Amino acid sequence: MTRAAYAAQGGVELGILNLLAPQAQRWPADGSIFETEFEGIQLRIATRDEAGKIDLNSAEFPLLNNLLVQSGVDPDRAAHIADAILDWRDTDDLRRVNGAEASDYRMAGRDYAVANAGFYSVDELQLVLGIDSETYTKIRPALTVHSGLSGVNPRFATPQVAAAVDGLANAQTKASGLSYTIFVEATAADGIVSKVSATITLTPDGTGKPYQVLAWNPAPAGVFGDPGVAP
């Protein structure tokens, strides 16, 4: 593993320490970039509150549909996809007007049916009928399974999410979740760059470890593309 990769891991730990600090001392969790240096390696760290994303397991039809439409999906197709998402996660076998249940997956030649349970990860969305790679790529940055909120806190929303929420009643919340994603870019003096992202959830006092790592991945494409804000 390169020094840059080790430094990127250290940047995640630094981001976690920041989240464990008192609220008034934390960096903004809106994707703003904090820059520092670690043993000659330049670090860029950004934190996003998952409350600024749309939760696949909690959002209702209007918000899911609006995200798809605002992301360039045809309105009729967007309605089918939004209903298919809801059918995937609900526990019954009742097909929504535009949705898809087990028989629809069989007819489509799929060797699996709906989960009838919540999404384990956003990646699971790729299994839903109507979702192709282009659509998934468009909406993936706006989604989470970690906020637990039916609405979005606009303070932490990206422009894409803000557009989806705009004009929708009950789609906004002032709540801030306990889950955050930390993005780190580490650049060594020899030009080697390592990027990583980690999603964590803070745990209440008295439960043991103060946080839990939910996901650890390479940073998504385009991370830190803007000089001031990460995705």
Side-chain angles (χ1 to χ4, degrees), residues 3 27 36 49 56 66 74 80 90 108 133 154 158 178 198 221 227:
R3 290 183 67 244
W27 311 324
T36 187
D49 191 325
L56 270 178
N66 215 34
D74 173 79
H80 281 80
D90 67 27
S133 59
T158 62
L178 294 175

Side-chain angles (χ1 to χ4, degrees), residues 196-213:
V196 68
S197 68
T199 301
I200 71 159
T201 186
L202 303 180
T203 52
D205 292 340
T207 60
K209 194 173 182 179
Y211 68 90
Q212 178 184 355
V213 177

Side-chain angles (χ1 to χ4, degrees), residues 95-145:
R95 182 180 182 275
R96 297 172 190 270
V97 175
N98 296 304
E101 287 289 352
S103 60
D104 299 287
Y105 284 80
R106 287 195 298 270
M107 290 178 62
R110 305 293 178 94
D111 59 358
Y112 58 88
V114 293
N116 284 340
F119 287 85
Y120 179 76
S121 70
V122 175
D123 290 345
E124 189 182 341
L125 179 63
Q126 297 173 94
L127 299 176
V128 174
L129 275 185
I131 295 287
D132 56 21
S133 59
E134 180 182 1
T135 302
Y136 176 76
T137 300
K138 285 180 178 178
I139 65 176
R140 173 64 181 87
L143 298 170
T144 184
V145 293

